[in-house]
Amino acid sequence: MPGSSVRVLLGSGGIATEDRRETYRSMVGEHFSDCESVLFVPYASDDHDGYTSRMQGFLGEGGPSLVGIHTFEDQLSAVSEADGVYVGGGNSFLLVRDLHEMGLVGPIRDRVLAGAPYLGVSAGSNVACPTMMTTNDMPIVLPPSFDSFGIVPFQINPHYHPGKVLFMDGDEVANHYGESRAQRIAEFHRHQDTPVLGMWEGSFLQWDGSRGRMTGRATAFVPGSDPVEMADGSEFGPALQALHPLTDLSEQVIGHLTRDAHDA
């Protein structure tokens, strides 16, 4: 968002249609418009070179230039000098393990809070949260801690979908009968109080340090409250509470009128 000291763009993933790819490329291009190059963190995958190359190609012509963090001998210096940071998707357990083992969690957090634009997609959006505890991923490795960047004050559940899963069994549509994402988030809230934003596929979130704005759809889960659907263009605060710019403007106008009446 213009004028913000913190510039965070988070995507759920599921960028599988041409419309979604165009939205991704447009938002990412604008997000990194003042960056000569962007430090790409491919540690949610085992194929660091291949992943970096694929994401560069996915950005298309005119997209920001990605430089893999794994190519630097001194990765801490690479972070401190980065124009922008992009953490790709994959397995959150693998990503968080490597971030901790390489000592990158604090430096990346500090660089982003100092003003470098951050982009995270899927696992990269999950690790923008205080912890990685609302991931959907399989624990293929054991990280030393679930703590992550904490550059947004709430949790994200990427790839969120409402209700139960249906699947094709041959030519028939069948019920999966497994747990819903809402049930798993409720399990998280039996032990944690942090609000959770379930980001639907193809959605993006812009965060400036105090205000978030949705592109696409999401569902907000706050302990003790019913889930709240967030439509395209919704704005919200740190506790995922809805913000209403028109109300804020009305309060400013009332304030000016009150001061004018007092001065008269």
Side-chain angles (χ1 to χ4, degrees), residues 6-10 31 85 87 105-120 124-131 148-156 205-211:
V6 177
R7 293 180 289 169
V8 176
L9 176 63
L10 305 177
H31 189 61
V85 179
V87 180
V105 174
I108 290 178
R109 177 195 299 120
D110 293 344
R111 188 72 191 96
V112 174
L113 295 181
Y118 176 94
L119 168 63
S125 63
N126 195 245
V127 298
C129 306
T131 77
S148 42
F149 297 138
I151 54 178
V152 298
F154 41 83
Q155 290 292 130
I156 287 173
L205 156 66
Q206 293 167 288
W207 178 255
D208 68 5
S210 61
R211 179 185 293 258

Side-chain angles (χ1 to χ4, degrees), residues 183-205:
Q183 287 174 307
R184 292 190 171 184
I185 293 171
E187 289 175 346
F188 171 80
H189 278 150
R190 291 192 188 103
H191 302 276
Q192 309 290 334
D193 294 328
T194 310
V196 178
L197 186 67
M199 293 182 65
W200 293 39
E201 292 291 60
S203 64
F204 291 90
L205 156 66

Side-chain angles (χ1 to χ4, degrees), residues 40-56 68-71 88-91 94-95 97-98 140:
F40 183 68
V41 180
Y43 292 145
S45 167
D46 288 310
D47 180 8
H48 302 154
D49 287 332
Y51 189 19
T52 303
S53 178
R54 287 196 304 275
M55 293 314 300
Q56 183 67 75
I69 191 173
H70 63 287
T71 63
N91 187 279
L94 182 62
L95 173 60
R97 185 200 67 177
D98 286 2
I140 60 174

Side-chain angles (χ1 to χ4, degrees), residues 9 15 21-30 32 38 40 51-67 86 119 121:
L9 176 63
I15 312 168
R21 283 190 287 271
E22 289 180 5
T23 298
Y24 165 81
R25 289 167 179 162
S26 174
M27 296 189 74
V28 172
E30 181 179 353
F32 290 129
V38 174
F40 183 68
Y51 189 19
T52 303
S53 178
R54 287 196 304 275
M55 293 314 300
Q56 183 67 75
F58 193 74
L59 285 167
E61 295 183 8
S65 176
L66 302 183
V67 182
Y86 180 175
L119 168 63
V121 176

